[in-house]
């Protein structure tokens, strides 16, 4: 399994992560990646960057040491209708937006009906590119029904290597979710959700093994080739798509 980009990583802009943007980019280059998405936590997380962080990406370079950089956010789903903690006015200008559930933002356990409604709401948001670590046991949803909505709305479904360490109660759900994505035409991404260089280096192996065991079509893994990633950015109407495609040539 070839992976050319990590589309969900964090820097020490959130204080429970440990490395700078430049350090993460250098590690990505050493791993042979062509692109890296930096998706720091949106403001509802307790130690997230200030709102201004997410409106200042023009201060950052598009390429760092040969690695094409995508700048965005891991936004928090805030309610069972799929509301998010950053406004669409900001999200529309980003390169890559991951939407995830975090317990500080939605405390307690959701019923399957509530979690299903939540993700169906997120699926309708045109500025969400990727569905983050949605296999969590406390927020289990109807995978088959929602996978159809994700496919229809061009949402990339993430399989998250960090879940094997920090969300172990839901790791067993990944296989069922992967099968639903496979059978309903979803495109997926294999991401580290790295909060350190070590996690970026170590979190992918189990994911690659999983997709190979389940015979997931490699052409529907958006970070398995530069062509697939460039096409996905264009499909989502991201302004960076042409520039990133040119970098890959």
């Amino acid at each position: 399994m070839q992976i050319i980009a990590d589309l969900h990583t964090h820097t020490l802009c959130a204080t429970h992560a440990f490395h700078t943007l430049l350090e993460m980019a250098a590690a990505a280059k050493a791993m042979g990646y062509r692109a890296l998405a930096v998706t720091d936590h949106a403001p509802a997380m307790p130690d997230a960057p200030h709102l201004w962080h997410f409106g200042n990406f023009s201060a950052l370079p598009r390429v760092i040491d040969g690695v094409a950089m995508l700048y965005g956010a891991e936004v928090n789903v805030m309610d069972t209708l799929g509301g998010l903690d950053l406004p669409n006015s900001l999200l529309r200008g980003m390169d890559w937006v991951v939407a995830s559930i975090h317990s500080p933002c939605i405390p307690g356990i959701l019923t399957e009906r509530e979690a299903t409604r939540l993700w169906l709401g997120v699926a309708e948001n045109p500025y969400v590119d990727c569905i983050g670590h949605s296999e969590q046991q406390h927020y289990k949803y109807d995978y088959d029904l929602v996978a159809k909505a994700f496919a229809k709305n061009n949402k990339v479904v993430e399989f998250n290597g960090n879940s094997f360490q920090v969300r172990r109660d839901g790791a067993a759900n990944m296989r069922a979710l992967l099968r639903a994505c496979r059978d309903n035409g979803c495109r997926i991404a294999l991401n580290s959700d790295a909060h350190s260089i070590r996690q970026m280096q170590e979190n992918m192996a189990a994911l690659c093994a999983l997709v190979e065991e389940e015979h997931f079509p490699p052409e529907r893994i958006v970070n398995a080739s530069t062509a697939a990633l460039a096409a996905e950015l264009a499909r989502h109407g991201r302004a960076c798509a042409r520039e990133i495609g040119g970098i890959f040539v």
Side-chain angles (χ1 to χ4, degrees), residues 166-210:
V166 300
R167 288 175 287 271
R168 294 181 182 179
D169 61 341
N173 296 332
M174 282 193 194
R175 195 173 298 272
L177 177 58
L178 183 63
R179 290 172 178 171
C181 291
R182 180 193 64 198
D183 297 344
N184 288 288
C186 292
R187 293 181 302 281
I188 69 169
L190 308 184
N191 292 332
S192 71
D193 190 5
H195 291 64
S196 69
I197 289 170
R198 181 185 66 80
Q199 288 182 330
M200 189 159 64
Q201 294 167 337
E202 296 179 1
N203 282 3
M204 289 293 196
L207 297 175
C208 292
L210 177 63

Side-chain angles (χ1 to χ4, degrees), residues 73-194:
E74 184 182 16
V75 295
N76 298 287
V77 187
M78 301 299 293
D79 56 53
T80 57
L81 297 180
L84 305 175
D85 64 335
L86 283 176
N88 284 346
S89 59
L90 270 180
L91 298 180
R92 69 166 58 96
M94 293 185 182
D95 298 330
W96 191 252
V97 175
V98 180
S100 305
I101 297 174
H102 293 102
S103 56
C105 305
I106 296 189
I109 299 173
L110 299 183
T111 66
E112 182 171 312
R113 181 178 180 180
E114 289 171 329
T116 297
R117 182 174 61 185
L118 177 153
W119 286 121
L120 289 174
V122 173
E124 294 293 327
N125 189 312
Y127 304 115
V128 170
D129 302 296
C130 184
I131 306 301
H133 53 71
S134 69
E135 77 292 328
Q136 295 156 275
Q137 182 64 26
H138 286 178
Y139 313 112
K140 193 172 181 181
Y141 59 98
D142 185 330
Y143 296 146
D144 188 64
L145 175 65
V146 178
K148 290 179 172 66
F150 288 157
K152 177 183 177 182
N153 290 281
N154 287 322
K155 302 308 174 200
V156 175
V157 181
E158 171 187 87
F159 289 82
N160 185 301
N162 215 23
S163 291
F164 293 109
Q165 302 301 320
V166 300
R167 288 175 287 271
R168 294 181 182 179
D169 61 341
N173 296 332
M174 282 193 194
R175 195 173 298 272
L177 177 58
L178 183 63
R179 290 172 178 171
C181 291
R182 180 193 64 198
D183 297 344
N184 288 288
C186 292
R187 293 181 302 281
I188 69 169
L190 308 184
N191 292 332
S192 71
D193 190 5

